[in-house]
């Protein structure tokens, strides 16, 4: 199970990725992915297209979503894996989050205009295939294209993180609320890329504890934003909190993402893969040579 090529985190044009679900499925397959999930931000619209293409290519498909959650004043992301993409509680909950995203994006545009960059909201909107999901990534692409910054990283450092001109906080779903939607839809909740959150050790312990208490089942151990020491740290955290370990590239776009689909190292041997829960569906798969 550890050695299967599994990628359970990526984004399409339905949120802030640059490829369609069909194109992502083909890219994943070309790179040897055997078990794949599309996990757009707060959006399920690409699920049926992703599943159809993945299964046509012979991959095992796991329906997914990445939900934006507020915890201790910070934005935290929770993956819902193996969810029913048509479940009313999940569909309605995500619709409420998307409605808040639009207001936030407009405020970001106004903030950047005050900083001397007019038209940023309209510019970001042009990069978003889904107008309900204009995100910081779309603003960053616009600012790079217009020459305000040389790279996506520079945009986030100068404009889009807390304390900078384009940063606008947003109140997302509560942790218990989001996990309730995932469980209602028959899914498994996984805490995404935990090393990205700038919590103190005390707050991080509180996050893991509350996540577990609300029925959280896994944590992303091997992912595109984790360095080797962080992979080991969160493999240990998974064991401490009796959580499954997940693996996902968090791929958004060719040439933009740090890790491509299917290119992550294997999970540490002591971690229990979240995909063990789907063992009957994976029994026919053999680890890549």
């Amino acid at each position: 199970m550890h050695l299967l090529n599994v990628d359970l985190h990526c984004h399409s044009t339905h949120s802030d990725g640059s490829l369609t679900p069909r194109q992502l499925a083909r890219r994943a397959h070309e790179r040897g992915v055997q078990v794949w999930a599309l996990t757009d931000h707060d959006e399920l619209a690409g699920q049926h297209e992703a599943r159809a293409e993945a299964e046509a290519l012979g991959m095992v498909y796991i329906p997914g979503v990445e939900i934006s959650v507020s915890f201790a004043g910070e934005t935290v992301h929770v993956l819902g894996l193996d969810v029913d993409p048509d479940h009313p509680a999940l569909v309605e909950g995500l619709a409420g989050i998307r409605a808040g995203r639009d207001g936030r994006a407009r405020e970001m545009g106004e903030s950047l205009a005050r900083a001397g960059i007019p038209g940023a909201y309209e510019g970001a909107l042009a990069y978003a295939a889904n107008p309900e999901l204009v995100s910081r990534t779309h603003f960053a692409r616009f600012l790079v294209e217009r020459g305000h910054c040389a790279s996506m990283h520079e945009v986030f450092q100068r404009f889009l993180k807390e304390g900078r001109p384009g940063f606008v906080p947003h109140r997302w779903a509560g942790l218990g609320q989001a996990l309730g939607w995932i469980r209602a839809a028959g899914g498994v909740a996984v805490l995404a890329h935990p090393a990205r959150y700038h919590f103190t050790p005390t707050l991080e312990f509180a996050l893991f504890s509350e996540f577990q208490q609300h029925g959280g089942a896994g944590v992303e151990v091997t992912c595109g934003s984790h360095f080797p020491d962080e992979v080991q740290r969160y493999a240990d955290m998974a064991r401490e909190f009796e959580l499954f370990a997940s693996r996902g590239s968090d791929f958004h776009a060719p040439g933009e993402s740090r890790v491509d689909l299917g290119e992550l190292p294997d999970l540490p041997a002591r971690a229990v893969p979240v995909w063990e829960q789907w063992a009957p569906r994976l029994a026919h798969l053999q680890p890549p040579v």
Side-chain angles (χ1 to χ4, degrees), residues 1-10 28-29 31-39 59-62 79 81-82 190 220-224 245-251 259-267 272-279 281-283 285-288:
M1 280 290 175
H2 278 78
L3 301 180
L4 294 177
N5 193 336
V6 177
D7 200 320
L8 300 174
H9 189 170
C10 69
H29 182 256
R31 283 156 178 75
V33 174
Q34 298 166 285
V35 184
W36 177 60
L38 171 64
T39 55
M59 291 187 290
V60 174
Y61 185 69
I62 306 297
L79 299 171
L81 299 177
D82 206 26
V190 171
E220 208 166 45
V221 170
T222 304
C223 66
S246 193
R247 179 180 190 262
S249 60
D250 197 7
F251 179 82
V259 176
D260 211 326
L261 286 156
E263 292 187 352
L264 288 167
D266 296 324
L267 286 175
V272 181
V274 70
W275 52 92
E276 279 197 358
Q277 297 179 95
W278 311 313
R281 279 183 269 173
L282 313 184
L285 300 176
Q286 294 295 321

Side-chain angles (χ1 to χ4, degrees), residues 111 136 156-169:
S111 180
R136 293 191 302 166
F156 279 88
Q157 294 302 307
R158 287 182 57 194
F159 294 106
L160 299 181
K161 70 176 186 178
E162 189 169 5
R164 300 299 184 182
F167 177 80
V168 176

